[in-house]
Each structure stands twice: as C-alpha cells, then as structure tokens.
Amino acid sequence: MANQKRFLWFIFIVLFSPGIEPSTTKEVIRVPVGVVLNLNSSVGAMAEKCMTMALDDFYAKHAHYQTRLSLLTRDSKNDVVSAAFEALHLINIENVSAIIGPPSSAEAKFVIELGRRNHVPIISFSATSPSLSPSHSSFFIRTAFSDSAQVEAIAAIVGAYSKWLEVVLIYEDTEYGNSLIPYLVDAFQKVGARVPHRSAIPPHYNDREILKELNHLNSTRARIFLVHMTASLGSKLFLLASKAGMMTEGYGWIVTEGLSTLLDPVSSTTMDSMQGVVGVRPYIPMSKELEDFVLRMKRFRFRKSSKITGVNLFGLWAYDTVWALAMAVEKVGIASRVDLASLGTGDRGQNLLEAILDLKFESLSGNFRLVKGQLEASTFEVFNVIGGKERIIGYWNQKKGLSRKLNGAAELDIRKTLEKPIWPGYTTDIPPKLRIGVPMKQGFNEFLKFENNHISGFSAEIFFAAEKKLPFSLSYEFHASAGTYDDLLYQVHLQKYDAVVGDTTIIANRSLYVDFTLPYTESGVSMIVLTEDSERNSLWIFLKPLSLDLWLTTGAAFIFTGFVIWLLEHRENTEFRGPPQQQLGMIFWFSFSTLVFAHREKVVNNWSKFVLIIWVFVVLILTQSYTASLASMLTVQKLQPAFTDIKEIQRNGYKVGHQNGSFIKGFLMEHLKFDETKLVPLETIQDYHNALSRGNKNGVAAILDEVPYLKLFLKTNCSKYTMVGPTYKTDGLGFAFPLGSPLVSYMSRAILNVTQDKNQMDRIQSTYFEYFDNKPACEDQSAKISSEGPSLRVYSFGGLFIIAGVASMVALLMYMYHFLCSHWPALRTISSSESTFWEKLVEVAKHFDKKDLTSHQFKRRESRVHALDTPDEGLAAAPGANDMQNNSAGTHKIVENNLGHE
C-alpha cells in the first residue's frame, strides 16, 4: 500500500511540475468545436451519429495526435432564429474554434455571417444551395457538392431525350429550392429546352393544396417534370402525384440529388409511388472502409431504437468533415507549438481555415479536395426507380458527358448514352406521348386516310419521313376528329391535342391559336367549271378564225390597196379606165381578186408593181393563218369554260361547291361575299363530278377548292371540266403545333430535308398522285381546253399591215409628186383662175383623168398603129386584091379597139 501511495505521488509531481514541458508529458489539447443540427430529423440524428463514429475512428487511428476535438452539439429545431442563437452562444460563450452546420441553407445563411464577423470558420456538409458560395464568404467552407454541380448532368439527360423540349419545374419554396432554378433554366436553354411553367410549393402546404397545384399542372400540356425538393416534401408530392394519375404512361419525372435514397432515404410507400422516376446523384466509389462503415450503421439501427433510417451521403460528408477538421486542428497545433486556446480568435480562425483548404486525402465519400472552398463534383450516377430500387442506367462526368459505363467511351449517338429506363406506366416508350389530332375525311383519301388508329396518304407519308429526320424519336398516338379543320386546330389551343397532322392549310387567322411548320407542298385556291363545245356546230364557224377587228382591218386594207393601185394605173393603163362604174368595180375587183391570186389585169407602173408585191405577201400570210385556224376548229375539239369569272356566277345567283370542313366556306363568305345558302358542301371526287355535271339548276356552277385537290379531280375528268379564274394565294399545307412549341422548329427543319430530297418527294408523290409522274395529265386527250380566245386578233398582224400601208403611201406620194412636177404649168393656170375651190378641184381631177400620152404603153401602141397605116415601100411586089382587103380590115379593127379603150 505504501508503494502505491509513493507511485501516485510521483505521477502527480511529474504531471503538475512547472518545470516540465507539456510536450514531454504528451498532454492532450482539447479543441472545442460547435455542431448545430436539427436533432428532431432523421438526417440530423444520422449526422450526429456519423460524427461521433468519425471521432472514434480518427483518434483510434491517430492516437498519437496531441489535439482532440470536443464536439458541442446544439439543436437548431429547424428554425433560422434558433440556429443563429445557438451559433452565437457557441462563439461567444463556448469560444469554439469552428462550427459544423447548420443543416439547411436558410439557417446557414445567417450563421455564415456570424462566422465572418467573428472570424470563426463555418463548415457545412448539408447547406448545398448555390446562393451560399465560399467565394463570397471568406469563413465559409462547404464539405459537400453545390447543388449547381448537378445541373449539367440533368441538362445532359434532357438533351439525350431531345424531344423533351419543355420541362416543368416543381421545387420547394425555400432557399434550398429557389436558388437552383436560374441554373436549371440556363442549362435547359443550352440544350434547346424551355421551362413553360414553374411550381413553387412551400413546405407548409397540406395535401389538398399540393394536389390542387398538381391538378393545375396536369390540365396543361406539360408531361415532363423536374422535382427539386427535400425528401420530406418530395415524398408527399409523389404520393399525391400518383393519386392524381400523373405517374402513368406518357409522363416523365426527373429528380435532383435531394430525392435520392443515397442522400435522404425515403419510405417504401414513397418509393412505390416513384416508379419510373429518373434522377441523378453523386457517384460514391465503394471501398472496404465504406462497406465497414455501412455495416456498423446497420448494426446500430437494429440494436437501438433510433430515428436513423439509413446511411446517406450527408452522413458520409459529416463523417469526412470531422476527419478533415481533426487533421486541420492537429496541423495548426503543431505549427503553433502552443495551445490553440491561447491564440487570438482571428488568428486561430484564419489558420484553421487555411489548414482545412489545403487538405487532400482519401475520405469515406471519395477523394476529399476542396476547390474554391467546396468539394468538387466529378461524376454523377443516373438512376431509374424500378421495383422500389434505384437501378443505375448511366453515368455523367464533365469530360465525357453521358455514358452507359463508368469508364466507358463517350457515345456519339445520344440515343445510346443511357440504358433504356422504365418510365411511369412500366413502359420503355419515351414520354411524352403526343396526342395527335387527325381530320376525318370521306373523300380525297390520297391526301389523308385514318383507319384502325393509323394514317396513310400523302400528308401522312410526309410526316413519317420528317419524323425520321428528327434528332430524337417521337412517341405519339392518333385521334380522329370529325369536325371542321378549324375546330380541330382550335382543340390544340384548348390542349386536347398536342399537334395536328393532315392536309391542313396555313392561313392567317389559324395562326392566331396554333403555330404551323413550314409548308410541305404549295397550294392556292382556284375554281373548276364545266366546259362547253359549241364551235363545230355553228353556222358561222368560218368567221371564227379572225376576230371582228381583224376582219374590218383586212377589208379596209383590201379597199385601200385597190384604190392605190387604181390611182397609180389610171392614167397609164387602159384596163383601169372607162366609165366611173367600171372603174369603181375595178378597184374592188382587183384588190379582192388578189385574195385567191385570180387577178388578170396587168399593171404597168413600177410603183404599182412595188405595192402589189408587198400586198401579195400580206395576203399570203393572212390566207395561210386563216386556213390553219379554221382547220383547227373543224378537226380539234376546243372546250370553252362555262364561266370564267366568279363574280358572274355570284351575279346570276348560281350555287358554288366547296370541300366539306375546309376553310373555303369561310373564304367564300368573308372574302367573296357569297350567301351561305348558295354554298354546297361536297365530300368526294364523285360528289364533285355529280354536282358539276348537273349544272346550274340542280347542281353547282363551279367548285372552289385548293389547287392540289382540283388537280387530283381533273386527273380523270379534264375532258369535261377545267380550272379557270385567278388563283388566290395560300401558304400551302403544313402541320400544326401549340403556340410557342419548340417542336415547330425541329419539324420544319425535318420537312425541309424531306422536300429538298427530289428522289424521295418524287416517290411519295407518284405513289398517291399520278399527275406528278410522267404519264399524261388526263386520261382523255381527245379534247383540248382553250385557255385563250380562238380568234386571231389584229395585233398579231399589225406589223404586216404597217409595212403594206407604208409601202402604199410611199408609192402614192412619189407618183403624185411626179404628176405635179410634170403638169405644173397647167395646174398653175388652174390655180390662178378666179374659180371656186371646188371648181378648181374638179378641173385638177379632170386633168388627172386624162391619159398620159407620154406613157411608154401609149407610145408603143401608137407606134404599132402608124406601122399598119404606112405601106412598106421596099416591097418588091404589090399585094393582091384579097390581101389588101384583109390587111385593111385588120388595121381598122385594131384602131377601133384602141379607140374603144380610150
């Protein structure tokens, strides 16, 4: 007993002797560290247990360390004020070197400010809001990933399913929920998606209020939702979403890391309601230490009654935070060689802060390395909730993006970046499933036909071809609509349908409530009417080749040319002389006889010959043209439209047909002012034929429709009907989507790729429309529709008449000039007389009427007369009596004939 007393006394002296340094006695330095948690939550309870285990594990491994952390835990009670009060108490009263916590971002916001003012590091493993940035608060350290780190991974998922062009955000109306939304919106815009709706749900909402908000979202076209909430509110949301029927086929749900079981375990009931959900969470590499830790936590749960429901990532980060802080405290203590408590508050906090930031070690959650005051996220897992479990379907990292394997190569095809998830409703069809409205048509099935929930026809083929050009796959189902096209399009505006596929015309008033793609075919509104053939049965068909103005012009030209020839020949040619009646007849006879080249009179004047040559050429052209036109009328059937002007039909009160359900009815009433009683709806091509063939009384006078339909009708009926009148411009046929739908731009680009592929378009068109192929445009080619007037117009021969007229005038002027010059003395005497103007004019006419004895023809004939009257003295013998009598008789006859012509 005495020896024991001496030994204890010796130990007392050694330990408390002032001459001995603490280092030689290995005295342990206690460093107080504050901890602020919500101890009433499962996360708070789990974090407290993890930190306790971390202390035990760390100092069991590092027993030689001189420093020991002393955790002073306080309850924040999930209240911002309580958290700030406890933190202030720890700083001022307990004089802590650092504070771990508080758990929520809202609580951390105030505590971080207290730490900055007092130079106390605030280390949070759960305040992940991007609004809390270590770069903005010098004494704030986040030993966790920022929520913004997952944004690129989520955007990559949306980009992989490029058809998700609209994503609705449902988030918790707290600091944690609100701060991530701007990052998500920006990231979605980069991958071509937009956020049409946002729904902020406060944590205090009851089931009725949450269900009301979900029903409102369900009433919209929204089918893809992203949920950013904590587990407590998120669990309630998915239970109610399942109750609202929003966890069925056609819906898609994405969750952020906050709703992963790795981050915050949820109940089995909640997991059942989350079937088909896709989410992201940080990738945690499995290690022996992690397996051992998880096993110990499970033993603790089963051994004691606890609020801890499982291990999550926050627990791992809490564990790593204690290790990092313990390392930093030891580093600062060794470097200072003094008690940490003896340092000033500012120096102590700054040194501890720098020590933590410089730490690098392999932690329980992976590689612990702080970048700009927080953990750097490298890899995320993409999971799919199926059967109450989270199935990993891919990975994401900043270098490779999405890939199916952790270390797999990046996929160029975005459709192969992830394994096929199972979506709500236990289907692999990628949501959303578009509800496409299709017009029901009784006729013109070449354009569109709905049968057995499937569509066919030209418009359907264009849609299917364009769908294949999209950078993503579409999931859709067709719904037939028996109403008008306008009614069907308005159903898109009312959110009954997500699109309309069919032969829908793009017009201005429809664009007020839907957006159209680029047109896949041109169009326009025109009119077809019955044709008539009345030419070949006419008594006066021989007058048809030339129009009235050409007949009159030709007749005037004949008379004028005859008159000019008569003037030029009258004084020199005896055949153009005689009584006035004979001369007048000669003018008409000579000119019109040239029509058949039957004139026998010779012309002697050179100017007459010049005029006649030109005129004969004109006559030749006229006769040949007349013959060709008349032959065409008698041999080829030319059909004339019964009406060429819609106004004429309207004035006469005739009826007009239109395709039933199309916009043509409104066009006729609003733009052309037709009375509704005069409009007849028609369905099929046979209806068109029957209505037109019955005519004005029992049918219709015309049918107005779009050009593609009219071409299809005329393909087999062009011998009886024709397209006439102006074509009213429309923008063609296209597909319709809701206003502002991003699918419009994708589908428009796809349509361009299809329509610019000539081979593909030729194949589609020739399949449904024979008028696009190389076959004749009409099966009956015996008839020819005359689109212009059948008669030749004077304008077509204007050049010939001008040439003939100029030639005649030149010849006439030159002849008159010669006449005036050669007879000027006589004409001057007449003009100087005191007679009246008309008497002078008559004298000049009489002078012009005299024969021109100087003419070569008259001189030749006079010489012939003198030769007969004078005997040839050089004859060797005189003629006999009979010869003399015959010669004398012949001479007298010639003279008489000459005198007679004069």
Side-chain angles (χ1 to χ4, degrees):
M1 180 64 71
N3 290 334
Q4 291 179 349
K5 290 182 178 179
R6 284 195 295 269
F7 177 76
L8 293 173
W9 178 252
F10 174 77
I11 295 298
F12 178 80
I13 294 174
V14 170
L15 291 176
F16 295 97
S17 176
I20 301 177
E21 294 292 332
S23 59
T24 60
T25 62
K26 296 184 179 180
E27 180 183 0
V28 175
I29 301 174
R30 297 289 177 178
V31 179
V33 174
V35 178
V36 180
L37 298 173
N38 179 15
L39 299 178
N40 292 322
S41 67
S42 60
V43 174
M46 181 264 308
E48 182 183 27
K49 176 59 181 177
C50 289
M51 286 189 285
T52 302
M53 293 176 64
L55 279 179
D56 296 340
D57 293 346
F58 182 82
Y59 289 116
K61 187 176 182 180
H62 304 89
H64 61 284
Y65 275 19
Q66 296 179 351
T67 57
R68 293 291 187 273
L69 296 182
S70 178
L71 300 182
L72 306 177
T73 305
R74 297 291 184 270
D75 187 5
S76 69
K77 301 177 182 178
N78 196 29
D79 181 69
V80 173
V81 176
S82 297
F85 174 80
E86 295 297 342
L88 191 61
H89 175 81
L90 290 170
I91 293 173
N92 294 332
I93 305 301
E94 302 294 343
N95 196 26
V96 295
S97 298
I99 293 178
I100 300 176
S104 70
S105 299
E107 296 169 1
K109 186 174 183 180
F110 291 93
V111 175
I112 289 171
E113 180 62 20
L114 294 175
R116 185 188 65 82
R117 292 185 178 183
N118 294 277
H119 291 197
V120 175
I122 306 299
I123 307 171
S124 178
F125 59 86
S126 58
T128 56
S129 171
S131 63
L132 305 178
S133 174
S135 59
H136 297 158
S137 301
S138 56
F139 280 84
F140 172 53
I141 297 175
R142 178 156 45 204
T143 55
F145 299 148
S146 171
D147 283 339
S148 61
Q150 65 183 318
V151 166
E152 292 186 27
I154 295 173
I157 296 175
V158 174
Y161 303 105
S162 302
K163 63 187 291 185
W164 290 354
L165 304 177
E166 295 182 336
V167 180
V168 175
L169 302 182
I170 305 176
Y171 55 95
E172 187 175 303
D173 193 11
T174 60
E175 180 74 22
Y176 165 77
N178 292 318
S179 60
L180 187 64
I181 302 307
Y183 295 89
L184 288 171
V185 172
D186 292 342
F188 289 164
Q189 288 179 347
K190 291 179 181 179
V191 296
R194 69 187 186 101
V195 180
H197 306 285
R198 303 182 191 183
S199 178
I201 299 180
H204 64 267
Y205 262 22
N206 57 33
D207 291 357
R208 183 181 58 81
E209 291 171 318
I210 296 176
L211 191 60
K212 179 181 178 181
E213 183 66 22
L214 288 174
N215 289 331
H216 169 69
L217 293 176
N218 198 26
S219 66
T220 68
R221 282 183 296 270
R223 292 297 178 267
I224 305 300
F225 304 95
L226 185 140
V227 180
H228 177 57
M229 292 179 174
T230 57
S232 57
L233 183 60
S235 300
K236 185 187 299 184
L237 176 80
F238 278 102
L239 288 171
L240 295 174
S242 179
K243 184 178 180 180
M246 299 174 67
M247 300 301 297
T248 57
E249 183 177 357
Y251 291 85
W253 293 84
I254 312 172
V255 295
T256 60
E257 61 184 21
L259 274 172
S260 166
T261 56
L262 182 63
L263 284 165
D264 198 351
V266 296
S267 65
S268 59
T269 305
T270 302
M271 288 294 287
D272 291 339
S273 67
M274 293 177 64
Q275 297 297 312
V277 170
V278 172
V280 296
R281 66 187 183 193
Y283 167 71
I284 305 300
M286 185 56 67
S287 63
K288 186 178 182 302
E289 291 78 8
L290 181 57
E291 290 180 354
D292 179 66
F293 175 79
V294 173
L295 182 61
R296 286 188 292 159
M297 285 295 294
K298 288 183 177 179
R299 290 174 181 172
F300 176 80
R301 286 175 54 199
F302 289 118
R303 187 170 63 250
K304 295 184 178 181
S305 176
S306 173
K307 296 180 181 178
I308 301 174
T309 57
V311 182
N312 61 29
L313 188 55
F314 290 136
L316 301 182
W317 282 335
Y319 185 98
D320 294 341
T321 300
V322 171
W323 274 60
L325 187 57
M327 290 180 182
V329 166
E330 180 68 18
K331 182 178 179 181
V332 172
I334 294 174
S336 63
R337 296 291 180 180
V338 294
D339 188 352
L340 285 172
S342 65
L343 290 174
T345 304
D347 294 336
R348 181 178 59 191
Q350 185 63 40
N351 294 337
L352 188 59
L353 180 69
E354 293 174 357
I356 296 175
L357 294 176
D358 291 338
L359 286 175
K360 293 180 182 178
F361 64 96
E362 287 298 322
S363 64
L364 205 61
S365 62
N367 183 24
F368 186 93
R369 185 170 70 94
L370 298 177
V371 178
K372 295 182 180 180
Q374 61 187 1
L375 283 183
E376 183 180 37
S378 57
T379 304
F380 284 87
E381 294 177 333
V382 182
F383 64 87
N384 180 213
V385 179
I386 291 296
K389 297 181 180 180
E390 295 173 341
R391 179 174 66 102
I392 305 301
I393 60 174
Y395 298 87
W396 178 90
N397 61 47
Q398 290 182 338
K399 294 181 179 179
K400 297 180 180 179
L402 288 173
S403 61
R404 292 190 178 186
K405 303 297 182 181
L406 179 61
N407 297 316
E411 290 284 354
L412 297 178
D413 186 356
I414 60 175
R415 304 183 191 187
K416 299 180 180 179
T417 54
L418 297 173
E419 294 183 13
K420 276 191 174 183
I422 306 298
W423 300 103
Y426 293 94
T427 177
T428 57
D429 293 337
I430 302 173
K433 179 172 285 187
L434 298 179
R435 296 163 296 177
I436 299 179
V438 178
M440 285 289 291
K441 297 174 67 70
Q442 300 299 325
F444 295 98
N445 291 327
E446 293 83 356
F447 283 92
L448 189 69
K449 183 179 181 180
F450 181 86
E451 189 175 21
N452 298 326
N453 295 326
H454 183 72
I455 61 173
S456 60
F458 175 70
S459 299
E461 288 295 329
I462 294 293
F463 173 75
F464 295 141
E467 181 198 357
K468 295 178 181 178
K469 301 289 185 180
L470 294 174
F472 47 84
S473 60
L474 283 179
S475 177
Y476 49 81
E477 56 187 7
F478 297 111
H479 299 269
S481 175
T484 66
Y485 280 69
D486 288 336
D487 293 339
L488 174 59
L489 291 170
Y490 200 71
Q491 294 300 316
V492 176
H493 177 70
L494 297 178
Q495 303 179 6
K496 180 178 180 181
Y497 299 122
D498 300 311
V500 168
V501 170
D503 47 345
T504 312
T505 306
I506 304 172
I507 54 177
N509 63 333
R510 290 175 174 175
S511 64
L512 297 176
Y513 45 88
V514 292
D515 277 345
F516 286 99
T517 63
L518 290 177
Y520 56 84
T521 185
E522 295 182 352
S523 185
V525 178
S526 192
M527 178 175 68
I528 53 172
V529 296
L530 190 67
T531 56
E532 298 175 343
D533 177 29
S534 58
E535 289 185 356
R536 292 195 294 183
N537 299 325
S538 174
L539 292 175
W540 304 99
I541 190 173
F542 68 91
L543 296 176
K544 284 285 187 179
L546 305 183
S547 61
L548 178 61
D549 57 350
L550 184 55
W551 278 117
L552 295 177
T553 303
T554 303
F558 271 108
I559 296 173
F560 176 72
T561 303
F563 177 72
V564 170
I565 296 296
W566 177 81
L567 282 177
L568 297 176
E569 294 290 327
H570 178 68
R571 301 186 73 252
E572 303 179 13
N573 194 339
T574 56
E575 293 187 6
F576 288 85
R577 299 185 64 82
Q581 296 85 351
Q582 182 179 352
Q583 296 183 54
L584 183 62
M586 179 59 66
I587 291 174
F588 286 95
W589 158 254
F590 182 83
S591 60
F592 283 99
S593 63
T594 58
L595 185 63
V596 291
F597 307 102
H599 55 285
R600 295 177 298 173
E601 294 77 15
K602 295 183 179 180
V603 292
V604 297
N605 189 291
N606 289 332
W607 288 112
S608 299
K609 295 175 181 178
F610 169 71
V611 172
L612 192 59
I613 290 172
I614 301 298
W615 176 247
V616 168
F617 176 73
V618 173
V619 170
L620 177 64
I621 299 298
L622 284 172
T623 54
Q624 293 297 323
S625 300
Y626 175 86
T627 302
S629 180
L630 182 60
S632 175
M633 291 181 179
L634 294 174
T635 57
V636 178
Q637 182 185 13
K638 287 194 174 182
L639 304 177
Q640 298 295 323
F643 303 96
T644 58
D645 187 5
I646 189 68
K647 296 297 182 183
E648 179 184 357
I649 298 175
Q650 189 176 25
R651 285 193 301 270
N652 293 331
Y654 298 147
K655 292 184 178 181
V656 174
H658 63 87
Q659 188 176 164
N660 188 28
S662 74
F663 75 99
I664 302 296
K665 179 179 180 180
F667 176 81
L668 287 167
M669 295 174 61
E670 296 175 10
H671 295 274
L672 300 182
K673 307 304 179 183
F674 266 84
D675 188 83
E676 187 174 3
T677 58
K678 300 298 182 182
L679 304 181
V680 180
L682 305 170
E683 294 279 359
T684 66
I685 291 179
Q686 188 62 38
D687 292 342
Y688 279 34
H689 171 69
N690 295 337
L692 285 171
S693 61
R694 287 195 293 265
N696 305 328
K697 295 182 180 180
N698 300 320
V700 296
I703 294 177
L704 259 75
D705 206 345
E706 295 177 83
V707 173
Y709 303 104
L710 299 183
K711 284 184 177 180
L712 186 61
F713 171 73
L714 292 176
K715 174 64 183 177
T716 55
N717 295 278
C718 63
S719 62
K720 300 177 182 179
Y721 312 103
T722 185
M723 192 185 308
V724 297
T727 299
Y728 303 95
K729 181 66 177 176
T730 63
D731 288 332
L733 306 181
F735 305 133
F737 291 89
L739 287 174
S741 172
L743 268 177
V744 174
S745 59
Y746 282 96
M747 187 60 73
S748 294
R749 283 191 290 268
I751 289 173
L752 278 180
N753 290 329
V754 173
T755 55
Q756 291 178 359
D757 187 344
K758 186 177 184 301
N759 294 331
Q760 186 174 15
M761 284 301 294
D762 288 345
R763 178 185 60 81
I764 296 175
Q765 291 171 340
S766 61
T767 302
Y768 296 99
F769 308 124
E770 293 182 357
Y771 61 79
F772 281 110
D773 56 27
N774 295 324
K775 298 178 182 179
C778 182
E779 294 179 357
D780 183 5
Q781 292 293 320
S782 63
K784 182 178 180 181
I785 304 298
S786 176
S787 59
E788 299 180 357
S791 301
L792 300 174
R793 312 294 298 182
V794 68
Y795 184 80
S796 303
F797 302 93
L800 289 175
F801 288 124
I802 291 174
I803 292 173
V806 170
S808 299
M809 292 301 298
V810 170
L812 185 60
L813 291 175
M814 294 300 295
Y815 181 79
M816 294 304 297
Y817 175 75
H818 177 72
F819 172 75
L820 293 174
C821 291
S822 59
H823 297 80
W824 178 246
L827 296 175
R828 186 172 59 184
T829 302
I830 295 174
S831 63
S832 60
S833 64
E834 297 181 357
S835 302
T836 62
F837 174 76
W838 289 108
E839 290 175 347
K840 293 178 181 180
L841 190 61
V842 171
E843 290 296 327
V844 171
K846 289 180 179 180
H847 191 75
F848 181 82
D849 187 55
K850 294 179 181 179
K851 290 190 297 183
D852 186 5
L853 298 178
T854 62
S855 171
H856 170 72
Q857 183 178 6
F858 285 120
K859 288 183 179 181
R860 181 170 57 82
R861 290 185 177 181
E862 186 177 349
S863 64
R864 289 177 58 192
V865 172
H866 287 304
L868 293 173
D869 290 340
T870 305
D872 191 355
E873 296 178 355
L875 292 175
N882 292 333
D883 293 336
M884 291 177 64
Q885 290 178 355
N886 293 334
N887 189 25
S888 177
T891 301
H892 286 296
K893 186 175 182 180
I894 292 173
V895 172
E896 289 174 358
N897 288 336
N898 290 335
L899 292 175
H901 284 293
E902 296 174 5

